[in-house]
Amino acid sequence: MKVLLAGATGYLGSYIAKAMLSKQMDFKAIARNPQKLIAMGIPAEQIIEAQLTDRNSLKGICSGFHAVISTVGITRQKDGLSYMDVDYQANKNLLDEALESKVQQFVYVSVLNGEALQHLQICAAKERFVKALKASGMPYSIVRPSGFFSDMTEFYEMAKKGRAFLFGDGQVKVNPIHGADLALVCIDALKEQNTSIDVGGPEVLTHQAIAEAAFNSLDRKAKITYVPNWLRKVVLRGAALFLSKAQFGPIEFFLHVMVMDMYAPAYGQHTIRGYFNELKRTENTAK
Ligand SMILES: NC(=O)c1ccc[n+]([C@@H]2O[C@H](COP(=O)([O-])OP(=O)(O)OC[C@H]3O[C@@H](n4cnc5c(N)ncnc54)[C@H](OP(=O)(O)O)[C@@H]3O)[C@@H](O)[C@H]2O)c1
């Protein structure tokens, strides 16, 4: 099976690329900046330079591929583009090309509870793409992860600064998943047909437990401030008024999911404690 991967320069996509390399799978990766992939050890002949938001740059890009995996989406706003421009339209451009080339499977990474959260800009765009994919006739797998370890870095950074800020009483539960574990779910999803896969990591933890693990990894006593819900709502309203739509999107998503249980069927091996220790080791090596 020949796979075309979009999103390989990102957190999850890079783990998918590494896993496909180690499994010696036949694949190519699309990037708007190929240097990022070369730096990751992806051979130049396996890289296709293209801009997914520009349909014209994609002509024939899916030709000869059996499957497409896309992890493309905005997580931290960099380009001033909207979720509709990227999470919906860029993926739709790729899907249209995949349909023209008669690709036989499309794996797309959305978000857990995305259907219920369509009042949020990010989920509205992702679910619009999910609807387009389902309606297209293309065989699909929708992967719906709970949250990524990359986002847990925020807890580690707060612990480094000496104080963690949690919303409410800190008892909201999540089971974030490491990119290496989720990459295997995405690759396995190539074999599924017309399915939606809710998935999280092996540990269901409260935000408080995650913050404590971050302090622990740094051998520090946990110092936590609990931010009341009314303050979260004030910040949310203020941000909606004063920020542009594109700037507001990530904040809107963050301020909503930080007060929601976000856990899904457990998968994988990587633990939060192991992840924080990995961050600490990387920092110590860089010193
Ligand atoms: N983080 C979470 O907790 C979480 C949870 C559930 C689902 N998800 C979803 O999972 C997916 C992957 O997340 P991630 O953390 O791996 O994201 P990431 O590290 O930000 O990577 C996003 C990828 O999308 C590409 N991209 C973004 N804007 C683009 C644009 N304007 N044109 C072309 N490419 C663009 C990036 O390319 P460049 O490197 O060129 O910018 C990168 O390859 C996202 O759709 C995210 O919403 C995330």
Side-chain angles (χ1 to χ4, degrees):
M1 178 186 277
K2 196 169 177 190
V3 181
L4 182 62
L5 172 63
T9 51
Y11 171 72
L12 172 58
S14 67
Y15 280 102
I16 298 175
K18 281 179 214 150
M20 290 204 290
L21 276 177
S22 80
K23 287 172 182 283
Q24 298 185 327
M25 289 172 65
D26 187 4
F27 83 99
K28 287 193 180 184
I30 306 173
R32 50 182 171 166
N33 178 356
Q35 287 312 318
K36 281 194 189 176
L37 297 185
I38 288 169
M40 279 165 47
I42 298 182
E45 60 276 15
Q46 282 181 242
I47 300 170
I48 302 173
E49 183 171 350
Q51 175 50 274
L52 287 164
T53 49
D54 172 13
R55 175 82 206 267
N56 290 328
S57 84
L58 303 182
K59 289 268 170 270
I61 203 165
C62 295
S63 174
F65 289 94
H66 302 105
V68 170
I69 301 178
S70 176
T71 67
V72 168
I74 295 174
T75 50
R76 278 163 190 78
Q77 186 52 257
K78 293 179 286 194
D79 307 316
L81 295 176
S82 70
Y83 289 115
M84 279 301 167
D85 295 331
V86 179
D87 294 68
Y88 170 68
Q89 192 61 56
N91 283 302
K92 178 71 166 51
N93 292 342
L94 187 58
L95 172 62
D96 290 341
E97 282 298 323
L99 286 164
E100 278 195 14
S101 296
K102 305 212 171 356
V103 166
Q104 290 147 33
Q105 174 72 346
F106 200 113
V107 177
Y108 174 64
V109 179
S110 183
V111 62
L112 184 69
N113 301 327
E115 292 135 306
L117 294 172
Q118 288 184 63
H119 53 289
L120 307 179
Q121 288 181 48
I122 182 172
C123 296
K126 285 189 177 303
E127 295 309 312
R128 186 173 171 199
F129 178 71
V130 168
K131 273 187 211 122
L133 176 56
K134 287 182 175 174
S136 71
M138 167 78 67
Y140 63 84
S141 297
I142 314 294
V143 179
R144 294 187 175 281
S146 53
F148 293 0
F149 271 31
S150 50
D151 290 332
M152 301 301 117
T153 308
E154 294 299 333
F155 286 88
Y156 183 81
E157 292 300 328
M158 287 193 286
K160 257 173 50 186
K161 288 182 189 144
R163 182 166 295 277
F165 293 88
L166 303 181
F167 290 103
D169 59 4
Q171 294 308 303
V172 160
K173 292 194 187 87
V174 287
N175 67 334
I177 184 164
H178 195 290
D181 289 332
L182 186 54
L184 300 182
V185 175
C186 295
I187 291 170
D188 280 352
L190 288 166
K191 294 180 234 140
E192 303 286 334
Q193 288 269 302
N194 301 348
T195 185
S196 185
I197 305 162
D198 288 358
V199 63
E203 306 171 296
V204 178
L205 298 166
T206 61
H207 284 180
Q208 168 135 352
I210 296 172
E212 285 168 356
F215 280 103
N216 227 317
S217 69
L218 293 160
D219 300 318
R220 290 189 180 181
K221 191 171 179 305
K223 283 190 193 152
I224 298 174
T225 297
Y226 299 91
V227 180
N229 202 29
W230 64 262
L231 189 52
R232 180 188 68 91
K233 287 184 181 165
V234 169
V235 174
L236 198 53
R237 268 193 227 116
L241 277 177
F242 294 112
L243 297 179
S244 70
K245 211 175 157 199
Q247 288 168 328
F248 179 55
I251 292 167
E252 178 193 43
F253 182 65
F254 171 74
L255 289 175
H256 273 86
V257 295
M258 286 304 279
V259 292
M260 279 178 67
D261 283 335
M262 286 287 275
Y263 54 88
Y267 179 85
Q269 308 295 329
H270 290 77
T271 62
I272 282 288
R273 182 182 293 269
Y275 179 66
F276 290 146
N277 288 338
E278 189 184 311
L279 290 178
K280 193 177 162 186
R281 265 195 309 276
T282 312
E283 279 179 358
N284 289 342
T285 320
K287 274 180 196 162

